[in-house]
Amino acid sequence: MSGTAEVVVVANRLPVDISVDSKGKMSWDRAPGGLVTALAPVMRSRHGAWVGWSGKPDLDVEPFDGDGMHLVPVTLSGEDVKDYYEGFSNGTLWPLYHDVIVDPEFHRAWWNSYDKVNRRFAKAAAEAAAEGATVWIHDYQLQLVPALLRKLRPDVTIGWFNHIPFPPVEIFSQLPWRERVLQGLLGADVIGFQRSWDSENFLRSVKRLTGDKVRGTTVHVQARPKVPTRQVKVGVYPISIDTAAFDELSRTEKVAKRSRQIRAELGNPDVLLLGVDRLDYTKGIRHRLKIMGELLRDHRVKAPEVCLVQVASPSRERVEQYKTLRDEVEVTVGRINGDYAALGRSPVHYLHQTFPVEEMAALYRAADVMLVTSLRDGMNLVAKEFIAAQVDLDGVLVLSEFTGAADDLPQALVMNPHDIEGAKRIVMQAIDMPNDEKRRRMRALRRKVAKEDVAAWADRFFADLAKVKESNND
């Protein structure tokens, strides 16, 4: 059975949050998140279908049209959420793929749930896709779907893109189900990563852990004896944002007025440092606070002339490591403010909240220095949003070298967040940077993100999928 969509995106989450009232009436709102921000404009322009979970356990909703797309909800039970999502996806794969910053857990029950839910996603994608459709599968939660879908629908062209890092083979090999994951991914025709490190790590894992041949960036998959090999292209596709839309929003008088108001509410500091992250142990928030605390201790900055606004949006609050991280961050913020605040003016303003996009644009415009201190990050779209909001060209971007964005944005100041002394020097360089250098660097960064926006990213990936489809039809 095939559907009608010529292009299908498969992701863990739908691009909308669904609600059902007491009378059974359904409503939805646009969902937050980097993947939705990146892909929604692309899918609207292509009139595609999006397969994903609603975000609420045990919510069974029929497919519907919304936000310019055909939306196909996949139902997850409370047990699925616990074992597939919070368990295997975020308790096993997330820490494993982020260089084991915290220890991953390996539980067979979690793996069994992951396998079961991936089969459910593959079935939903198979039913949504038209004959000969293109299906683009996203991220680490759905690594088994490419091969499962290929068995169900050998007529479709399949892409898979990893939004997070892919670990070195020495780390990936710890996964008890490593061969199954690689076999799942090699069901795709095109496999994409954020940076060359990740694609190289994947290819080394294929070489060492499978019997498939790797030549350059192509994997030759032997489906079974006496059957011709199938070629899988492995490429690097750095993701981006809808730069024009973010630039346009940031230029509005409403955002400009709010950015001035933010600075006034903070006491019009000479320098406003900004951090924006999900509250996640990979983001280096504790390192950022340590840098700020030591700069205050060393009298290189002081309140209220210099302050840090740290937005840490709630994330995976039922997972124990995230509860612990929140406690540690809030204790550290309290200690810094207790030691270094001026009367009525704190050096660190901590906001454990999620804000609408207009408020984020205003914060970006208000900031003098953006601090991205991730310990490991696939890309980090916050860095690109900050650049798009810098319509006055007067901000400085400081980037961890462990982000994909560090490869993509060479005019940023790059630092190692583990090297606290070195990071402090980079932050002071950003604070003291002459205006003409700020403008020169930011102008180049804005040209880069304007040219290589989310549409260009998607076009590159779809173009490579189209080449595969064409070669398969020859």
Side-chain angles (χ1 to χ4, degrees):
M1 177 183 173
S2 62
T4 59
E6 297 293 337
V7 177
V8 179
V9 158
V10 188
N12 178 62
R13 286 290 303 274
L14 287 171
V16 298
D17 288 326
I18 299 173
S19 300
V20 178
D21 64 20
S22 57
K23 297 180 180 178
K25 183 180 179 182
M26 187 197 76
S27 61
W28 56 267
D29 294 301
R30 179 82 176 273
L35 179 59
V36 175
T37 302
L39 275 180
V42 177
M43 292 304 291
R44 282 195 295 269
S45 68
R46 294 173 183 263
H47 308 290
W50 189 308
V51 176
W53 173 44
S54 69
K56 291 183 172 61
D58 301 305
L59 182 61
D60 193 5
V61 178
E62 291 297 312
F64 64 98
D65 293 331
D67 207 16
M69 294 168 276
H70 184 61
L71 303 176
V72 182
V74 174
T75 303
L76 298 186
S77 68
E79 196 70 15
D80 293 332
V81 174
K82 177 174 169 288
D83 290 344
Y84 148 77
Y85 181 66
E86 294 174 351
F88 197 78
S89 294
N90 292 318
T92 301
L93 294 176
W94 181 268
L96 188 76
Y97 284 27
H98 287 84
D99 291 352
V100 196
I101 293 171
V102 303
D103 291 334
E105 297 180 43
F106 305 115
H107 301 294
R108 284 169 289 182
W110 288 3
W111 164 257
N112 292 336
S113 179
Y114 184 82
D115 178 74
K116 178 183 70 173
V117 171
N118 271 243
R119 291 177 187 278
R120 202 176 304 158
F121 273 87
K123 182 174 182 289
E127 293 173 352
E131 188 72 23
T134 297
V135 181
W136 195 4
I137 303 157
H138 287 266
D139 229 359
Y140 63 104
Q141 300 98 340
L142 303 175
Q143 293 176 109
L144 307 184
V145 173
L148 294 169
L149 179 60
R150 182 163 296 282
K151 287 182 180 178
L152 295 171
R153 292 291 304 276
D155 59 295
V156 302
T157 304
I158 302 170
W160 181 81
F161 182 76
N162 200 36
H163 292 257
I164 69 171
F166 195 89
V169 63
E170 293 80 8
I171 290 177
F172 179 73
S173 294
Q174 295 177 31
L175 185 67
W177 308 277
R178 59 200 189 185
E179 288 90 353
R180 281 285 311 279
V181 167
L182 293 177
Q183 289 163 5
L185 294 175
L186 291 170
D189 296 294
V190 178
I191 297 175
F193 296 96
Q194 298 278 25
R195 60 195 311 194
S196 58
W197 287 8
D198 302 319
S199 65
E200 290 163 7
N201 286 342
F202 173 75
L203 290 167
R204 279 194 288 268
S205 292
V206 171
K207 281 182 185 177
R208 186 176 302 183
L209 301 173
T210 77
D212 297 317
K213 296 287 189 291
V214 176
R215 294 187 177 93
T217 58
T218 301
V219 182
H220 297 260
V221 179
Q222 184 75 52
R224 57 186 184 274
K226 299 182 181 178
V227 174
T229 60
R230 186 173 56 81
Q231 296 185 13
V232 179
K233 173 183 169 57
V234 178
V236 179
Y237 306 85
I239 197 171
S240 194
I241 62 170
D242 188 348
T243 309
F246 214 94
D247 175 89
E248 183 179 355
L249 173 65
S250 302
R251 291 180 186 276
T252 62
E253 181 52 36
K254 180 180 178 182
V255 167
K257 181 179 178 182
R258 177 60 185 143
S259 70
R260 294 190 293 270
Q261 185 180 10
I262 287 169
R263 292 191 72 98
E265 289 172 358
L266 293 168
N268 288 312
D270 295 336
V271 178
L272 170 54
L273 309 174
L274 178 64
V276 176
D277 312 89
R278 282 188 311 103
L279 187 60
D280 191 287
Y281 52 76
T282 65
K283 301 299 182 181
I285 298 172
R286 288 172 292 196
H287 294 65
R288 190 176 312 152
L289 292 172
K290 185 173 182 62
I291 291 163
M292 182 67 178
E294 290 197 10
L295 287 174
L296 288 160
R297 182 202 66 191
D298 299 343
H299 306 293
R300 299 174 75 178
V301 302
K302 66 176 183 175
E305 289 84 355
V306 176
C307 70
L308 167 66
V309 172
Q310 175 61 58
V311 178
S313 57
S315 175
R316 301 168 188 164
E317 294 187 288
R318 298 201 305 179
V319 178
E320 194 59 40
Q321 290 110 329
Y322 291 78
K323 295 178 186 176
T324 302
L325 174 64
R326 180 178 180 180
D327 291 343
E328 291 175 356
V329 166
E330 291 178 356
V331 166
T332 303
V333 169
R335 184 180 299 121
I336 292 172
N337 285 338
D339 289 344
Y340 302 110
L343 190 61
R345 291 283 181 258
S346 299
V348 179
H349 300 263
Y350 173 71
L351 304 167
H352 184 244
Q353 303 167 44
T354 299
F355 293 101
V357 65
E358 294 84 3
E359 183 74 0
M360 293 313 305
L363 275 165
Y364 292 141
R365 277 202 67 172
D368 298 295
V369 178
M370 182 82 207
L371 299 178
V372 178
T373 56
S374 306
L375 307 181
R376 194 78 166 88
D377 223 335
M379 174 52 62
N380 194 284
L381 293 180
V382 162
K384 296 189 176 185
E385 289 177 350
F386 174 73
I387 293 166
Q390 289 298 304
V391 296
D392 298 320
L393 304 177
D394 55 2
V396 181
L397 175 62
V398 175
L399 267 182
S400 163
E401 67 182 79
F402 304 112
T403 63
D407 291 353
D408 224 22
L409 304 171
Q411 290 80 18
L413 296 181
V414 177
M415 54 88 147
N416 175 359
H418 299 287
D419 175 9
I420 299 299
E421 285 299 328
K424 285 157 57 179
R425 287 194 296 272
I426 295 293
V427 172
M428 290 308 302
Q429 181 183 346
I431 289 172
D432 297 333
M433 186 177 290
N435 286 334
D436 58 344
E437 184 180 352
K438 288 182 187 179
R439 297 176 69 83
R440 175 177 57 77
R441 286 176 179 266
M442 187 53 66
R443 192 176 286 112
L445 288 169
R446 283 174 58 79
R447 279 197 300 268
K448 175 87 170 178
V449 297
K451 180 181 178 183
E452 298 176 8
D453 65 356
V454 67
W457 166 73
D459 285 346
R460 277 192 62 222
F461 204 102
F462 277 120
D464 283 344
L465 284 169
K467 289 175 187 174
V468 171
K469 181 181 286 190
E470 185 178 342
S471 65
N472 288 341
N473 290 336
D474 288 344

